Each structure stands twice: as structure tokens, then as C-alpha cells.
Amino acid sequence: MNRKTLVLPAVVGLLAPVLVACGGTQGGSAGGDAIVVGTTDQFIATDDAPAPLDPAYAYDTGSWSVLRQTVQTLMHAPRGGGAPVPEAAQSCDFTDKVSESYRCKLRSGLKFADGSPITAEDVKFSIQRVLDINPDSGTASLLANIDTIEANGDEVVFHLATPDATFPYKLSTPVAAILSKEKYEGKKLREGFQVDGSGPYTMKTETKDGHVSKVTFTKNPNYLGDIKLRNDKVELRSFADADAMGKALESGDIDMMTRAMSPEQIKSMSENPKEGIELTEMPGLEIRYLAFNTNDPSVKDKAVRQAMAAVVDRGHIAGKVYGSTAEPLYSLIPASIGAHTNSFYNKYGEPNRKKAAELLRKADITTPVKLKLHYTTDHYGTGTAKEFEALKQQLNATKLFDVTIEGTEWSKFVPAQKRGEYAVYGMGWFPDFPDPDSFIAPFLDKGNFLNTPYVSTEARELIPLSRKAADRTSASQAFTQIQEIVANDVPFLPLWQGKQYVAARSGVTGVERVVNSSSDLQLWELGHGGDA
């Protein structure tokens, strides 16, 4: 790759994988059987979201974890992290000096899992399909900068509307999956749970009461790409909660559990290791935040949002609810990304009721301000309810707010949020790729995934400006300005940044590489006792 696709900014402060506990027993799938992995991610098809695993629609960590096993993209993140490398492509490069024309040459002999050949026209079809469908999930925003696509023989050329040094990263996301015209319609989402692609695995789902209970991934004999598989089969089982998943690990019914382990489980495994089970801590870039429907009368005046920012005690929430697994966050960009600034702390400082009261008084806002805070009960783990209870207590203790909270299951929470039914709601974010852009554009750019009514013209001018920088460290000034805009207008209120953990039975190898920094599963890394 040429100088236009150098490694994006240094990610500092990330922890190397840390293992806790050791034992000598084998897991429940020792030998040549499938490696069994547990998750609390729920895969549900509803009237509002009938195509949860269509790459053109899927935009959550759980769905992406399924897609990364089964579809192929032109680029992908290398095993050790860093800039994307070719996957379905043999090579990809910017062909100009301003990062506006990106050319990829396909590997020779590429096939879909059913044996049919992959052509440049398939790549063009797949990318154009996302833009044509343009679902309300926000996936199309990742590819919206594409002006035209050329397919010539074994080459695909993307002409961008504006320079974008982050484009190779976007081509490494499941949104840019290569699909077959025979299996997917060009302007319609594919409903249900089946995924067909050319990735390292094929998949088969089992459902119960409209939910996916198990996904079986089997080695794809027609796969041709950069990924090395260390197993032939993996089962991904979905559990209702972390406790049920933990019991399955202890009994040997599963070999590993992933997100979302509860803070209590992590603390227990750290302090009282169990024979035969290892806890692994890995680098993570997850953030949690409050989002505001700035058209709602209760929070339309930014003084209300600013007052909340002035009194919320992030340290108390992180420490009381999540312990050592979370750290206070004062920007949408995590502290472990180079362009981060403590913009909220710089503006509001430590929790200060007097400052909040003055903000509300100057805006002539009657107190206490009545608000309902919404959260999802089954998507981010069991700590979410406790987190919102702590938020309610903090805000109500000031006597400036009269807050109630309400939890809703994820399948109903997301459609209601997108319809604008919530004035204030809690969300988590796992980046599409490890660059500051992935913590800014999805929130503030046109077509953002939250469908937020908030618009900052200045921020939307700075976003394309930041993308011109091939050396991502030189984009810091633009990101600093954007973070200051967010701290002043408070369309989002960052709360904390989390670490990520998995726990596995002894004898399972590759555990320290099974989750990337964006929290997507890389199940091909798992093995039984052999080379990791």
C-alpha cells in the first residue's frame, strides 16, 4: 500500500491481553469437535428490523461478529492490528495524491461458498446495493462518500466525492461485504437469518421463538483469502443473560464466553480464579453515552443538557457499577485514541451543582426539570440498569432535575429511538475501525446511525477536512475543534470507556486474539491445544 494508506493514528494506552487463572481440565468440546462460544447478543427479526443479518442493514457488534465469519471484504484488519491489508483483494491503493481514487485488484480464483466465481461486477453490485437501499440503520453513511464505481475485468475503482484517507478502513467493515446477485436483491434487504458469502466459514442457524439460539460456523472449502483458520467448526450460542452463560462455561457446555460478561463475573474471576477457567482482558474501545433528541421540548434548550453535563459524576458511575472494568470518559473519542481531548472536563470540570443551577437560571428554565431516561435491558449487559439507577440518583440529588428511568428490550428500544420517541437515552458504541473518525462521523455527519436531529454545520465541514490527512496525527486539530463543539452543545454526553473480557476453559488457544479492538469476534483464531 502506498503512503496514502499508512497506519492510522497510534492507539495509546491500550492494554496487552492479560490472563487470570489457570487449570488443567479440558473444555466441553475437546478434540475434533466444534469449539462452543457463548454470547448474550440477541439475534431477532422483527417488523421494524426483518433483516438483522443483511450486511446492508446490520450495524451492531453482535451482527457484525456473525458477518465477519461468513462474508468477505476487499480489505481486513491484520492479525496484529494496524492498517488494513488485502483480503478478497490482491492489492488496493490510492492512485492519486489526494485520496480520491482507490483501486483494488481481486485475488485470482475467488469463489462464493457455493462455488460460483466472484467478479469485479459482484463487488460493484454489493457496494452500490448498500447505497441504493440506504437503510435507516445508518450503514450507508460509511460508503456515502463514493461518487462512482468502475468494474473492469479483475479491478474495481472507487471514485470518491471528497478525499478520504480512512476509506480502506471502511472497505474492511461488513457493510462492504461482497455478495452474489443470485442470493441478494439489488434494492431490497434479505429478510431472515441466512448469510451467504465467501468468508472463512459457511453458517447454519437454529432458531427458537423467533430468536437465533445457535449459529454453527463450518470451514468454507472454497475460501480464498488472507485469514488462516485454526479450527474447522465453531458454534456460537446465544444466552439470555451473563449468569446463564457463566453457568454453561462452568459446567463445560461451552468452551468460552464473550460479551457481555457482567462486572460481577469479571470481579469474581479476577479475585477468585476457578480451576480450569482463564479470564482474558483485551484492548477495547467501547464507549457509553447519553444521547439527546434535541427536538424534544424537555431537552431542546442546550442549557438543560449542559446542566446535566455539569453534575454527572462519571467516576462514581464507573467505580460503583463497573469497578475496574470502566474508566470515566470526557469526550466521544476514547482516551486511548491519539486525538482525544478531555473536552467535557475542560468545560465543566468536576461535578458542580452551582454551575448547573446557574446555567438553568440564565436560560430561564424552571426547575426541577422533568426527564425520563431510557435504556436497553438486554444489549449491553446487566450493569446498564444499575448505571441508570445511579444516574437517576445523581441528577435527582441536585433538586434541579426530576428524573425517572425506563428499560426496554433492544428489539423495541432501537425502533422507538429512531422514531424520536425518547428525549434522553443511553447507548454504547464500538467503533467501525480504530480512528477518531469512527467516533465522530457516525454521530454528527449526515445520515448518522442515530438519526439525530442535531446538526452542527461547523462539525460537518470539519469532518471531510479531517479525512484529507493521510498522516492521521495531522487531523488532530479538526478533531479537537469537533470535540469542543460537542462539549458546548451536548447532543451527546459521554459517560465511560470500557475494557473487554472473555473467559475460556483451559486448552482453548487463540483466546487473546478472538476479539479485535472494535469488539468483533474473530472465531478463526480459536483452536484446541495446537499452535495459536
Short mmCIF file of all heavy atoms in Angstrom, two decimals, residues 50-57 125-126 128-135 179-192 194:
data_model
loop_
_atom_site.label_atom_id
_atom_site.label_comp_id
_atom_site.label_asym_id
_atom_site.label_seq_id
_atom_site.Cartn_x
_atom_site.Cartn_y
_atom_site.Cartn_z
N PRO A 50 -36.54 -6.63 9.91
CA PRO A 50 -36.73 -8.01 9.45
C PRO A 50 -35.47 -8.64 8.86
O PRO A 50 -35.46 -9.84 8.58
CB PRO A 50 -37.79 -7.86 8.36
CG PRO A 50 -37.58 -6.48 7.82
CD PRO A 50 -37.16 -5.66 9.00
N ALA A 51 -34.42 -7.85 8.67
CA ALA A 51 -33.20 -8.36 8.02
C ALA A 51 -31.97 -8.08 8.89
O ALA A 51 -31.05 -7.38 8.48
CB ALA A 51 -33.03 -7.72 6.65
N PRO A 52 -31.92 -8.64 10.11
CA PRO A 52 -30.86 -8.27 11.05
C PRO A 52 -29.46 -8.68 10.62
O PRO A 52 -28.47 -8.12 11.12
CB PRO A 52 -31.27 -8.99 12.34
CG PRO A 52 -32.11 -10.15 11.87
CD PRO A 52 -32.85 -9.63 10.68
N LEU A 53 -29.33 -9.65 9.69
CA LEU A 53 -28.01 -10.11 9.28
C LEU A 53 -27.70 -9.78 7.82
O LEU A 53 -26.74 -10.31 7.26
CB LEU A 53 -27.88 -11.63 9.51
CG LEU A 53 -27.92 -12.08 10.97
CD1 LEU A 53 -27.79 -13.58 11.06
CD2 LEU A 53 -26.83 -11.40 11.80
N ASP A 54 -28.46 -8.91 7.23
CA ASP A 54 -28.11 -8.43 5.89
C ASP A 54 -26.99 -7.41 6.04
O ASP A 54 -27.14 -6.43 6.79
CB ASP A 54 -29.33 -7.77 5.23
CG ASP A 54 -29.10 -7.44 3.76
OD1 ASP A 54 -28.01 -6.93 3.42
OD2 ASP A 54 -30.01 -7.68 2.95
N PRO A 55 -25.85 -7.58 5.35
CA PRO A 55 -24.74 -6.64 5.50
C PRO A 55 -25.10 -5.19 5.19
O PRO A 55 -24.46 -4.27 5.71
CB PRO A 55 -23.70 -7.16 4.49
CG PRO A 55 -23.99 -8.62 4.39
CD PRO A 55 -25.49 -8.72 4.49
N ALA A 56 -26.12 -4.98 4.37
CA ALA A 56 -26.54 -3.62 4.06
C ALA A 56 -27.28 -2.97 5.22
O ALA A 56 -27.38 -1.74 5.29
CB ALA A 56 -27.43 -3.60 2.82
N TYR A 57 -27.78 -3.79 6.15
CA TYR A 57 -28.56 -3.27 7.28
C TYR A 57 -27.83 -3.39 8.61
O TYR A 57 -27.89 -2.47 9.45
CB TYR A 57 -29.90 -4.01 7.37
CG TYR A 57 -30.75 -3.53 8.52
CD1 TYR A 57 -31.58 -2.42 8.36
CD2 TYR A 57 -30.72 -4.16 9.77
CE1 TYR A 57 -32.34 -1.94 9.41
CE2 TYR A 57 -31.48 -3.69 10.82
CZ TYR A 57 -32.29 -2.58 10.65
OH TYR A 57 -33.03 -2.11 11.69
N PHE A 125 -21.72 -4.38 -7.47
CA PHE A 125 -23.12 -4.62 -7.10
C PHE A 125 -23.32 -4.51 -5.60
O PHE A 125 -24.27 -3.88 -5.13
CB PHE A 125 -23.54 -6.00 -7.59
CG PHE A 125 -24.76 -6.56 -6.90
CD1 PHE A 125 -26.02 -6.13 -7.24
CD2 PHE A 125 -24.63 -7.53 -5.90
CE1 PHE A 125 -27.15 -6.64 -6.60
CE2 PHE A 125 -25.74 -8.04 -5.25
CZ PHE A 125 -27.00 -7.60 -5.60
N SER A 126 -22.43 -5.13 -4.83
CA SER A 126 -22.59 -5.20 -3.37
C SER A 126 -22.49 -3.82 -2.73
O SER A 126 -23.29 -3.48 -1.84
CB SER A 126 -21.52 -6.13 -2.79
OG SER A 126 -21.61 -7.42 -3.36
N GLN A 128 -22.85 -0.84 -4.30
CA GLN A 128 -23.93 0.00 -4.80
C GLN A 128 -25.25 -0.36 -4.13
O GLN A 128 -26.10 0.50 -3.90
CB GLN A 128 -24.05 -0.14 -6.32
CG GLN A 128 -25.01 0.85 -6.96
CD GLN A 128 -24.57 2.29 -6.76
OE1 GLN A 128 -23.43 2.65 -7.03
NE2 GLN A 128 -25.48 3.12 -6.25
N ARG A 129 -25.41 -1.63 -3.81
CA ARG A 129 -26.63 -2.10 -3.16
C ARG A 129 -26.86 -1.40 -1.83
O ARG A 129 -27.98 -1.00 -1.51
CB ARG A 129 -26.53 -3.62 -2.94
CG ARG A 129 -27.68 -4.26 -2.20
CD ARG A 129 -27.50 -5.78 -2.13
NE ARG A 129 -28.63 -6.39 -1.46
CZ ARG A 129 -28.66 -6.66 -0.15
NH1 ARG A 129 -27.61 -6.36 0.61
NH2 ARG A 129 -29.73 -7.22 0.39
N VAL A 130 -25.80 -1.23 -1.03
CA VAL A 130 -25.92 -0.53 0.26
C VAL A 130 -26.38 0.90 0.03
O VAL A 130 -27.28 1.40 0.73
CB VAL A 130 -24.57 -0.54 1.00
CG1 VAL A 130 -24.70 0.22 2.33
CG2 VAL A 130 -24.09 -1.97 1.25
N LEU A 131 -25.79 1.56 -0.96
CA LEU A 131 -26.14 2.95 -1.24
C LEU A 131 -27.57 3.07 -1.76
O LEU A 131 -28.28 4.01 -1.42
CB LEU A 131 -25.16 3.53 -2.25
CG LEU A 131 -23.69 3.59 -1.78
CD1 LEU A 131 -22.78 4.02 -2.93
CD2 LEU A 131 -23.54 4.55 -0.61
N ASP A 132 -27.98 2.10 -2.57
CA ASP A 132 -29.34 2.15 -3.13
C ASP A 132 -30.40 1.88 -2.07
O ASP A 132 -31.44 2.54 -2.03
CB ASP A 132 -29.48 1.12 -4.26
CG ASP A 132 -28.70 1.52 -5.51
OD1 ASP A 132 -28.32 2.69 -5.61
OD2 ASP A 132 -28.46 0.63 -6.35
N ILE A 133 -30.15 0.90 -1.21
CA ILE A 133 -31.12 0.58 -0.16
C ILE A 133 -31.15 1.67 0.91
O ILE A 133 -32.21 2.07 1.38
CB ILE A 133 -30.80 -0.79 0.48
CG1 ILE A 133 -30.99 -1.91 -0.56
CG2 ILE A 133 -31.69 -1.05 1.70
CD1 ILE A 133 -30.57 -3.29 -0.08
N ASN A 134 -29.97 2.15 1.29
CA ASN A 134 -29.85 3.25 2.26
C ASN A 134 -30.77 3.06 3.46
O ASN A 134 -31.65 3.88 3.73
CB ASN A 134 -30.15 4.59 1.58
CG ASN A 134 -29.78 5.78 2.46
OD1 ASN A 134 -28.95 5.67 3.35
ND2 ASN A 134 -30.41 6.92 2.20
N PRO A 135 -30.58 1.98 4.24
CA PRO A 135 -31.49 1.68 5.34
C PRO A 135 -31.35 2.66 6.49
O PRO A 135 -30.36 3.40 6.59
CB PRO A 135 -31.05 0.28 5.77
CG PRO A 135 -29.59 0.24 5.43
CD PRO A 135 -29.47 1.02 4.16
N LEU A 179 -21.22 -9.74 -2.08
CA LEU A 179 -22.40 -10.60 -2.13
C LEU A 179 -22.72 -11.01 -3.57
O LEU A 179 -22.29 -10.36 -4.52
CB LEU A 179 -23.61 -9.87 -1.54
CG LEU A 179 -23.44 -9.30 -0.13
CD1 LEU A 179 -24.66 -8.48 0.25
CD2 LEU A 179 -23.19 -10.41 0.88
N SER A 180 -23.49 -12.06 -3.70
CA SER A 180 -23.87 -12.57 -5.01
C SER A 180 -25.23 -12.03 -5.42
O SER A 180 -26.18 -12.01 -4.62
CB SER A 180 -23.92 -14.10 -4.98
OG SER A 180 -24.54 -14.61 -6.14
N LYS A 181 -25.35 -11.64 -6.70
CA LYS A 181 -26.64 -11.20 -7.22
C LYS A 181 -27.67 -12.31 -7.20
O LYS A 181 -28.88 -12.06 -7.20
CB LYS A 181 -26.47 -10.71 -8.66
CG LYS A 181 -25.62 -9.48 -8.84
CD LYS A 181 -25.52 -9.11 -10.32
CE LYS A 181 -24.61 -7.92 -10.53
NZ LYS A 181 -24.49 -7.58 -11.97
N GLU A 182 -27.18 -13.55 -7.18
CA GLU A 182 -28.09 -14.69 -7.18
C GLU A 182 -28.75 -14.88 -5.82
O GLU A 182 -29.81 -15.51 -5.71
CB GLU A 182 -27.32 -15.97 -7.55
CG GLU A 182 -26.64 -15.92 -8.91
CD GLU A 182 -27.63 -15.66 -10.03
OE1 GLU A 182 -28.71 -16.28 -10.01
OE2 GLU A 182 -27.32 -14.84 -10.92
N LYS A 183 -28.13 -14.38 -4.77
CA LYS A 183 -28.63 -14.59 -3.41
C LYS A 183 -29.24 -13.32 -2.79
O LYS A 183 -30.02 -13.41 -1.85
CB LYS A 183 -27.49 -15.09 -2.52
CG LYS A 183 -26.82 -16.37 -3.01
CD LYS A 183 -27.73 -17.58 -2.87
CE LYS A 183 -27.08 -18.85 -3.40
NZ LYS A 183 -25.92 -19.28 -2.62
N TYR A 184 -28.85 -12.16 -3.31
CA TYR A 184 -29.30 -10.90 -2.74
C TYR A 184 -29.86 -9.99 -3.83
O TYR A 184 -29.27 -9.87 -4.91
CB TYR A 184 -28.15 -10.17 -2.04
CG TYR A 184 -27.66 -10.85 -0.78
CD1 TYR A 184 -26.75 -11.90 -0.84
CD2 TYR A 184 -28.11 -10.45 0.48
CE1 TYR A 184 -26.30 -12.55 0.32
CE2 TYR A 184 -27.67 -11.07 1.64
CZ TYR A 184 -26.77 -12.12 1.55
OH TYR A 184 -26.32 -12.75 2.70
N GLU A 185 -30.99 -9.36 -3.54
CA GLU A 185 -31.58 -8.42 -4.49
C GLU A 185 -30.88 -7.07 -4.38
O GLU A 185 -30.39 -6.68 -3.31
CB GLU A 185 -33.07 -8.24 -4.20
CG GLU A 185 -33.90 -9.50 -4.45
CD GLU A 185 -35.38 -9.25 -4.28
OE1 GLU A 185 -35.86 -8.18 -4.73
OE2 GLU A 185 -36.06 -10.10 -3.69
N GLY A 186 -30.83 -6.35 -5.50
CA GLY A 186 -30.08 -5.10 -5.54
C GLY A 186 -30.68 -3.97 -4.75
O GLY A 186 -29.96 -3.11 -4.25
N LYS A 187 -32.00 -3.94 -4.59
CA LYS A 187 -32.63 -2.80 -3.94
C LYS A 187 -33.60 -3.22 -2.83
O LYS A 187 -34.50 -2.48 -2.47
CB LYS A 187 -33.37 -1.94 -4.97
CG LYS A 187 -32.41 -1.31 -5.98
CD LYS A 187 -33.11 -0.35 -6.92
CE LYS A 187 -32.11 0.28 -7.88
NZ LYS A 187 -32.74 1.25 -8.80
N LYS A 188 -33.36 -4.42 -2.30
CA LYS A 188 -34.22 -4.93 -1.23
C LYS A 188 -33.40 -5.73 -0.24
O LYS A 188 -32.55 -6.53 -0.63
CB LYS A 188 -35.33 -5.80 -1.84
CG LYS A 188 -36.32 -6.36 -0.83
CD LYS A 188 -37.36 -7.23 -1.52
CE LYS A 188 -38.34 -7.83 -0.52
NZ LYS A 188 -39.34 -8.71 -1.18
N LEU A 189 -33.68 -5.54 1.04
CA LEU A 189 -32.97 -6.28 2.08
C LEU A 189 -33.40 -7.75 2.07
O LEU A 189 -34.53 -8.07 1.72
CB LEU A 189 -33.26 -5.68 3.46
CG LEU A 189 -32.68 -4.29 3.73
CD1 LEU A 189 -33.21 -3.75 5.05
CD2 LEU A 189 -31.15 -4.33 3.75
N ARG A 190 -32.48 -8.61 2.47
CA ARG A 190 -32.77 -10.04 2.56
C ARG A 190 -33.22 -10.35 3.98
O ARG A 190 -32.44 -10.26 4.93
CB ARG A 190 -31.52 -10.85 2.22
CG ARG A 190 -31.76 -12.35 2.23
CD ARG A 190 -30.47 -13.08 1.89
NE ARG A 190 -30.65 -14.51 1.85
CZ ARG A 190 -29.68 -15.37 1.57
NH1 ARG A 190 -28.47 -14.92 1.30
NH2 ARG A 190 -29.91 -16.66 1.56
N GLU A 191 -34.47 -10.71 4.12
CA GLU A 191 -35.03 -10.94 5.44
C GLU A 191 -34.58 -12.28 6.01
O GLU A 191 -34.18 -13.19 5.28
CB GLU A 191 -36.56 -10.88 5.38
CG GLU A 191 -37.07 -9.51 4.96
CD GLU A 191 -38.58 -9.41 4.97
OE1 GLU A 191 -39.24 -10.39 5.40
OE2 GLU A 191 -39.12 -8.36 4.57
N GLY A 192 -34.64 -12.38 7.33
CA GLY A 192 -34.28 -13.63 8.00
C GLY A 192 -32.85 -13.66 8.48
O GLY A 192 -32.21 -12.62 8.63
N GLN A 194 -30.28 -16.04 7.29
CA GLN A 194 -29.27 -16.72 6.49
C GLN A 194 -28.30 -15.71 5.89
O GLN A 194 -28.70 -14.62 5.46
CB GLN A 194 -29.91 -17.54 5.38
CG GLN A 194 -28.94 -18.37 4.56
CD GLN A 194 -28.13 -19.34 5.42
OE1 GLN A 194 -28.64 -19.90 6.39
NE2 GLN A 194 -26.86 -19.52 5.08
#
